[in-house]
Amino acid sequence: MTTQPPLHSVPRAEDLYAKFVVPSANRGLTLVRGQGARVWDDQGRTYLDLGGGVAVNSLGHAHPAITDTLARQSATLIHSSNLYYNPWQGELARRLVGLTGAGKMFFCNSGAEANEALIKLARKWGHASGRYEVITATNSFHGRTMATLSATGQDKIKVGFDPLVPGFVTVPYNDLAAVEAAITPKTAAILVEGIQGEGGVYVATPEYLLGLRKLADDRNLLLLMDAVQCGYFRTGQWQSFQRILETTPGGDAFRPDAIAMAKSLGAGFPMGAVWFREPYQDVFGPGTHGTTYGGSPLACAVALTVLDVLERENLAENIRARGDELIAGLNKLAGTRGIAAVRGFGGLVGFQMKDEEAAPVVARLTQAGLLLVPAANRTVRVLSPLNVTADEIAEALAIIESAL
Ligand SMILES: Cc1ncc(COP(=O)(O)O)c(C=O)c1O
């Protein structure tokens, strides 16, 4: 048994990182504990955490149902590999298919991996007809693996990593004509986010989504959606496209051909998943794609608990209402606090600053006790846990009002 040294004799995390951790991220505080929407740093200061670990902590911190499942499941079966069936993966797949539509699930470990599966689906499906190109959107974000960064429509994350994976064409978001003009005899698929999160919370229009569906059908292309950040009830609907299309005639019937999921799926336990619509569900036959950890008993048991809590506590309705309060409050502040625009829904809301970059604004809010997340285009994201309360939203608005 190892004994933990007392905290005061341990070097500061910052110093250990400086010596031993690759400096690939800009980090701020040292966080040591969380409870609900609150976190504590190593100096004992408390913060309201509406950054949610970048849209991951959908049930906040230390939710007792997750703690309980982690303890129980880890005492039963943590990992078995995909050489075997496990009942939790089967049941989770059944629940996710039930929420999404007829099809099947593939499980992996992160958002980038889920998007890799979408890209590999396009390649595998298009192979027989010699098609492999995927059209993606300017300002999109799909991950940091070589294929997903090549698919991403932001040049800053590609610098120094060329030659990139070929076969991606990037055109402006919400511009149907640009997608149509980019189609070539090599095009296999279109890949978009329902709401661009990292890009600055830009929401797809109903016309764009329905137009993409028609274009994909007419030109025999796959329509792939990256719902890693905007899915999983974050908008108040299971998927962001359902929120966007909820008042549009015919919107109910809209489904892409495959959807990448991650982040909120495990509410902090790392996992990813892809839904494949019929008839694309069997494109990956035995041995064609895989991962050691994907769909482990522990990950799936946690994800089942997350779904249970979301449904039992009606958190989709909660985050819809809290998001409306937040957006109304931010719009009120907009005239006087340097805010140029407010975008998004529910637990994915962005406020764009007129002149200031997002990072210094986030730093000032951190000092004032509120954790938020910067995005591109001078936009600050509020990625609330789905069980955030009206009081916590009011507190966040008060901090924003006084700190900006
Ligand atoms: C839309 C989107 N896709 C993919 C990813 C990559 O996910 P991960 O960091 O889990 O690989 C992210 C991460 O922020 C994302 O927002």
Side-chain angles (χ1 to χ4, degrees):
M1 201 178 93
T2 55
T3 315
Q4 294 290 338
L7 213 57
H8 62 263
S9 69
V10 174
R12 293 175 61 216
E14 241 179 286
D15 298 334
L16 290 170
Y17 273 57
K19 281 198 182 124
F20 303 115
V21 178
V22 169
S24 57
N26 293 314
R27 297 181 171 90
L29 307 169
T30 298
L31 298 180
V32 295
R33 187 162 74 85
Q35 184 66 56
R38 308 254 158 216
V39 286
W40 284 260
D41 70 9
D42 58 347
Q43 308 299 309
R45 281 184 300 233
T46 174
Y47 302 83
L48 180 60
D49 180 10
L50 300 194
V54 198
V56 167
N57 300 323
S58 48
L59 301 182
H61 298 279
H63 194 287
I66 294 186
T67 307
D68 180 59
T69 298
L70 283 167
R72 262 187 310 110
Q73 188 62 38
S74 64
T76 307
L77 189 65
I78 293 181
H79 173 78
S80 54
S81 90
N82 281 302
L83 295 175
Y84 310 100
Y85 297 103
N86 83 62
W88 300 274
Q89 184 175 147
E91 175 58 9
L92 179 62
R94 187 185 73 79
R95 297 269 297 270
L96 296 175
V97 165
L99 284 163
T100 318
K104 288 183 182 169
M105 301 301 302
F106 172 81
F107 291 101
C108 51
N109 311 286
S110 68
E113 253 187 89
N115 283 323
E116 283 276 344
L118 294 185
I119 293 161
K120 285 182 74 175
L121 171 75
R123 293 251 175 136
K124 188 95 173 66
W125 176 75
H127 200 256
S129 54
R131 297 184 297 152
Y132 58 86
E133 274 176 9
V134 179
I135 300 173
T136 70
T138 307
N139 203 38
S140 59
F141 183 81
H142 299 298
R144 298 279 188 164
T145 63
M146 278 308 301
T148 57
L149 82 81
S150 303
T152 289
Q154 297 188 45
D155 290 340
K156 66 180 183 211
I157 73 155
K158 304 182 182 185
V159 175
F161 293 111
D162 49 306
L164 301 178
V165 174
F168 296 100
V169 181
T170 302
V171 299
Y173 191 56
N174 270 334
D175 185 342
L176 206 53
V179 176
E180 190 163 13
I183 296 171
T184 73
K186 301 279 180 213
T187 308
I190 303 162
L191 167 62
V192 291
E193 293 156 89
I195 302 174
Q196 293 187 329
E198 300 299 311
V201 191
Y202 290 93
V203 182
T205 63
E207 300 71 38
Y208 182 59
L209 292 179
L210 295 180
L212 288 179
R213 182 65 275 172
K214 184 167 185 324
L215 203 51
D217 290 342
D218 290 351
R219 308 291 286 269
N220 190 28
L221 309 174
L222 296 177
L223 178 57
L224 311 174
M225 289 193 75
D226 177 349
V228 166
Q229 184 159 158
C230 61
Y232 237 79
F233 298 112
R234 188 156 284 282
T235 58
Q237 284 268 21
W238 164 236
Q239 292 296 327
S240 67
F241 59 76
Q242 292 170 311
R243 179 78 203 251
I244 294 165
L245 292 168
E246 67 186 6
T247 58
T248 306
D252 268 8
F254 175 93
R255 287 291 178 279
D257 297 314
I259 304 175
M261 310 174 191
K263 291 192 183 272
S264 301
L265 192 54
F269 194 93
M271 74 181 300
V274 183
W275 171 80
F276 296 106
R277 185 169 78 86
E278 259 175 2
Y280 308 107
Q281 56 188 17
D282 296 323
V283 169
F284 289 132
T288 53
H289 189 51
T291 152
T292 302
Y293 293 112
S296 76
L298 185 58
C300 292
V302 170
L304 283 165
T305 297
V306 174
L307 272 181
D308 287 345
V309 175
L310 288 169
E311 288 177 359
R312 191 172 65 228
E313 299 181 5
N314 209 3
L315 296 183
E317 279 311 304
N318 182 65
I319 197 60
R320 175 185 286 259
R322 301 294 81 80
D324 288 351
E325 290 160 12
L326 176 69
I327 289 167
L330 288 171
N331 276 325
K332 261 196 213 148
L333 295 180
T336 55
R337 292 298 186 284
I339 296 172
V342 181
R343 295 184 288 269
F345 302 104
L348 175 47
V349 171
F351 59 92
Q352 186 174 24
M353 302 304 292
K354 275 198 194 90
D355 308 309
E356 242 182 309
E357 290 304 316
V361 174
V362 167
R364 266 197 286 151
L365 291 169
T366 300
Q367 281 303 313
L370 175 64
L371 303 191
L372 300 180
V373 181
N377 294 317
R378 300 190 310 282
T379 302
V380 177
R381 272 173 296 172
V382 190
L383 300 162
S384 312
L386 307 197
N387 54 0
V388 69
T389 65
D391 285 349
E392 287 161 347
I393 293 293
E395 185 183 339
L397 284 166
I399 295 174
I400 293 169
E401 181 170 15
S402 65
L404 299 192

